[in-house]
Amino acid sequence: MLNSSPSPHVAIVGAGPGGLASAMLLAREGIPVTIFEREPAVGGRTRTIHAPGGYKFDIGPTFFLYPRVLKDIFEACGEQLEDHVELKRLDPQYHLVFEGGGDIRATYDLDRLEQEIARLAPADAKNVRRFLDDNREKLEAFRPVLEQAFSSPADLFSPAMIAALPKLRPFSSVDGDLKRYFADPRVRLAFSFQTKYLGMSPFQCPSLFTILSFLEYEHGVFHPMGGCGAVSDAMANVARKMGVDIRLNTPVDRILYENGEAVGLEASGERFAAGSVVVNGDFGHAMRQLVPEEMRPRWTNKKLDRAKISCSTFMLYLGIEGDLGDLAHHTILLSKEYERNIHEITNGILPEEPSIYVHHAGVTDPSLAPKGHASLYVLVPVPNLRCDVDWEREAPRYRRIALERLKVLGLTDIESRIRYERVVTPRGWEDDFAVFEGATFNLAHNLTQMLYFRPHNRFGRNVYLVGGGTHPGSGLPVIYEGARITTRLLLEDRERRKIGNDRPEPVVAPVGEAAV
């Protein structure tokens, strides 16, 4: 036994965005917090790596969206986000290139945006403001839902949920919903490719997520100067200032349980007593490694194996010598056969002419590469590891395909100018970054894996979740909101214990499954 009485400490597994935000909010309440991070730096996949030759790359997220939630967290801790990191709003936000013809330089300047769309589809341009107005109302209706915890089926019938339902059109897809505004499929893609942030298809993703493109136009797409890791570093600095102990290079082996409740964890062979444990790791990976199966009856190994998960990504991180012409900060090449590509990825087939996303942050931030050089991040959506792809064999071939696709964007002589290169395949995401099945965007956000049906923020006795795999879902601002939900639940539970009204949470089976 670790202790006969509960420890006042909170142990957080992982110094990703959710773990750091939770640590800040808990430290604000005077609670002793220790974060255990297996990597030598904070941030998880939201960190910026330094590569040989002076190149810097964001590993995962490459921009910052809707900073309001994180600003609120900093202010709650007596700090101002802008005092710690410079967020530069991009204009244009990104350059969309349609291989079938045409392009859009997306901007939050609505007059210019209408002009850009009018070049492709004059009739559609007239509906841009109506789309934004409707989604402004949708976000306002849904925000209270995103901010609430979903701990029981009754929460699906909360006043906030009932008020939001008329705006949600739950049985329509993003693309289907956009047809009410835009006839040209290219214009619909301009307002729906953002579902890829969730690793989902706009033809399958619930129509709620039209709010993603609205958020970009209404609230901006930002580049943190120095890379997205600068935000994680700023959070860690504030957390340390507030007394949080961040232990790097310290992987957690398992969560320790006594009499059905968590009492601490084991890290690098040592035991650490904690009254509460917050898990900020890739959900599928963390559950199998850290939590005994009997402690997660709603998410057994069998359930994890059949859960719907996102696609994966094939990554190139390239240090390039010389100029990249007029390549934008963010460029998305949408293939001629975009819908077929999506179908192929969903069905485990590697597209031969894939869509790609290219990040060239040096346009905005020269600190990311030496003078006369550029750091280039190339992302290709591909199937996850549940599909039968031999990445050891396919990686060299798919690298050639990715470089060929760059030629469509005018980058015809890239290969001869590569001075640094790192390739990450779906296998690499799992092996090197502990991503379950290489699904880089975590659990899918289909209707049966959202809200109450997503892993709960309160995950058993004294265990809590934060991150893309729990409610409210993936994406940095949503993860920060999840940290607020998780810390609120943790504090409420501690208060109940303090006044002697500590009742275990009921174990409720998902709809359609037997209760445990």
Side-chain angles (χ1 to χ4, degrees), residues 13 252-257 262 264-266 277 279 290-292 463:
V13 183
V252 173
D253 306 312
R254 61 192 177 108
I255 295 173
L256 301 173
Y257 288 84
L265 52 77
E266 186 176 299
V277 178
V279 180
L290 303 179
V291 182
V463 177

Side-chain angles (χ1 to χ4, degrees), residues 173-186:
S173 69
V174 165
D175 184 69
D177 197 56
L178 287 171
K179 286 178 180 177
R180 300 191 296 136
Y181 306 91
F182 310 119
D184 192 303
R186 294 170 299 177

